[in-house]
Amino acid sequence: MFCLFSFLGPNGGDCSYPVAWNDIQPKFGWWKIPEKERIANNSREVFAECLYAPACLGGINKKLADRHFEAAASTLHPNMTCSNALGFKNFSRLCHSCSNGYKRKGTNRCALCPPNQSDNWLLIMGGGFVMFIVLAVISGDAVNQAGKQTLSASIQKILLNYLQVVTLFSAFPLRWPKELEFLFEVQGAISTVGEHLLNPDCLTTSASGAELYYSKQQMFAVLPVIIACISFLIWYMYGVYSNHSFFKIRTNSTHTTPKDKFIITFTTILYLLYPTLCKNAFGLFDCKLIGGKYFLKIDLEEECYTGRHWNMMIFLGVGQLILYVIGLPLVVYVILHINRGTLKDHVTLARYGLFYGSYKTDRFFWVSLIFVSIC
């Protein structure tokens, strides 16, 4: 059987020339599913659309020519299915895996790693230092503004919410200009605690994409606990040094105690971390159907709902959904609801003013809705 016209061939197949059915090659932006997989999974799907079109080489694809100039000309290569020039591993599923010497950039792209490990460590340490400075400045400003309702604090919170939402656009599989990509990185570094500055993918070549992803999931899952311990230690030592015991009963209702400052620091950092926690929690459930089987979208070599992924999805995925995605907005709402009669008092405003200080007191729940919309 021969493929003579595009409308007679399978979706994603290049039928611009006469070719035997079994020898049909993919169009630009499509990937040919191995015959063994199709037979084993009893799938009639021959081609699957790639998550990032330029990663998959193929024949002319007029539908993508407006967005990707390569689609206007055939990019077929006899020994290559994926674009090595863009850092994708040849013959990987949907050309999604990154080659050795490349790291994941965003959701579906790859970027070149530094040439040696010392450069990798320097970048990670530099990113960690910048993240520490950002957190210190934002949390320090929140501590200084404790118990006050200022216009600058309201503008700062609105700006942070804006940056958190705009940063989500970087996950869209579009070919953003380099200048805009850099802007996304900067905005993400300021507004969220995530992988914009800290990305250890280049430190190892032996671990698979899924193994690295699961390791990051575990790290971010325990990060709130680590932040709580570090924040407590800092303000406890501050109390000892300043002769204001952390556990001393308050004697002045207008005084901001070390315990207040601990709560402010912890909640401010959680406020910045929340979008990343949401992204990680939902990422474990994000699977794509390819040739009759589901594969983890972050690493399409990892089969979903079985073995290692099943365990991670149940313990880390469901756990983070309950504790963070649902739990954090719910805890904030409960705390503010319990204290709704004292929202204008110094103590409540100092500790939790970040969440309601810019709103009318009868709209104290609004921040929980913002959390849900960001997530």
Side-chain angles (χ1 to χ4, degrees):
M1 184 174 180
F2 286 87
C3 171
L4 300 177
F5 304 100
S6 58
F7 59 84
L8 294 177
N11 191 27
D14 182 16
C15 290
S16 58
Y17 60 97
V19 60
W21 187 267
N22 292 333
D23 296 328
I24 301 175
Q25 297 301 310
K27 291 181 179 179
F28 174 88
W30 289 76
W31 182 78
K32 190 172 185 178
I33 303 171
E35 187 176 2
K36 290 182 179 179
E37 289 190 17
R38 300 200 306 268
I39 295 174
N41 301 326
N42 194 27
S43 173
R44 296 182 178 181
E45 189 180 16
V46 180
F47 298 95
E49 191 170 7
C50 296
L51 298 179
Y52 182 59
C56 297
L57 305 179
I60 296 174
N61 190 343
K62 295 180 180 179
K63 291 183 179 180
L64 295 179
D66 292 339
R67 285 184 289 167
H68 306 284
F69 64 88
E70 305 99 318
S74 177
T75 56
L76 286 174
H77 192 282
N79 298 314
M80 193 181 301
T81 62
C82 307
S83 177
N84 296 156
L86 296 179
F88 295 98
K89 187 176 181 180
N90 204 25
F91 300 108
S92 60
R93 186 171 282 105
L94 265 59
C95 295
H96 190 257
S97 299
C98 295
S99 302
N100 290 336
Y102 287 82
K103 64 180 179 181
R104 178 65 61 203
K105 182 178 182 180
T107 306
N108 302 316
R109 299 176 62 181
C110 298
L112 188 65
C113 287
N116 52 64
Q117 290 290 9
S118 60
D119 291 339
N120 289 328
W121 282 110
L122 284 174
L123 285 173
I124 290 178
M125 289 188 291
F129 178 74
V130 172
M131 183 176 292
F132 173 79
I133 295 298
V134 170
L135 292 178
V137 169
I138 294 178
S139 58
D141 184 64
V143 169
N144 292 331
Q145 297 290 334
K148 305 173 185 176
Q149 293 188 33
T150 62
L151 180 61
S152 61
S154 301
I155 294 175
Q156 183 186 76
K157 186 163 66 174
I158 293 171
L159 181 61
L160 282 175
N161 289 335
Y162 164 76
L163 293 177
Q164 287 173 340
V165 173
V166 169
T167 302
L168 298 176
F169 295 154
S170 63
F172 294 168
L174 301 175
R175 183 172 287 186
W176 299 106
K178 292 183 179 180
E179 295 79 10
L180 198 54
E181 289 180 347
F182 176 75
L183 185 61
F184 286 149
E185 293 290 327
V186 173
Q187 291 173 337
I190 295 173
S191 61
T192 63
V193 180
E195 299 177 40
H196 300 279
L197 291 175
L198 295 176
N199 193 329
D201 289 4
C202 293
L203 295 180
T204 177
T205 57
S206 58
S208 67
E211 289 170 342
L212 287 171
Y213 181 65
Y214 293 147
S215 297
K216 295 175 189 176
Q217 285 278 352
Q218 294 170 38
M219 181 191 72
F220 278 105
V222 300
L223 190 57
V225 179
I226 296 174
I227 292 171
C229 293
I230 294 176
S231 300
F232 170 78
L233 183 62
I234 290 173
W235 289 113
Y236 178 81
M237 295 303 296
Y238 170 83
V240 172
Y241 177 78
S242 62
N243 199 27
H244 290 89
S245 175
F246 187 91
F247 299 104
K248 185 179 179 180
I249 297 176
R250 186 187 304 275
T251 57
N252 188 337
S253 60
T254 62
H255 180 65
T256 303
T257 66
K259 185 185 291 186
D260 296 334
K261 295 177 180 180
F262 158 69
I263 294 174
I264 296 166
T265 302
F266 181 54
T267 54
T268 300
I269 296 177
L270 278 186
Y271 187 86
L272 298 174
L273 183 61
Y274 185 72
T276 300
L277 295 175
C278 285
K279 174 186 173 183
N280 287 343
F282 287 114
L284 282 166
F285 299 89
D286 192 6
C287 297
K288 183 174 178 63
L289 180 63
I290 305 172
K293 273 189 178 182
Y294 285 94
F295 296 91
L296 187 62
K297 208 168 182 180
I298 196 70
D299 180 12
L300 294 176
E301 305 302 324
E302 181 81 356
E303 188 177 345
C304 284
Y305 314 125
T306 183
R308 178 173 59 181
H309 176 260
W310 177 260
N311 295 330
M312 291 294 178
M313 185 180 67
I314 295 299
F315 292 106
L316 279 179
V318 175
Q320 289 183 95
L321 281 177
I322 295 173
L323 289 176
Y324 301 140
V325 177
I326 299 173
L328 290 180
L330 184 60
V331 168
V332 169
Y333 173 79
V334 170
I335 290 175
L336 295 182
H337 185 266
I338 292 174
N339 293 279
R340 64 189 181 279
T342 60
L343 292 178
K344 292 185 178 181
D345 293 354
H346 175 82
V347 177
T348 307
L349 188 59
R351 291 184 174 185
Y352 311 113
L354 170 70
F355 301 118
Y356 72 89
S358 304
Y359 310 125
K360 295 180 180 178
T361 52
D362 59 346
R363 296 291 186 270
F364 65 86
F365 57 85
W366 197 254
V367 71
S368 295
L369 298 180
I370 292 178
F371 277 155
V372 172
S373 66
I374 290 175
C375 203

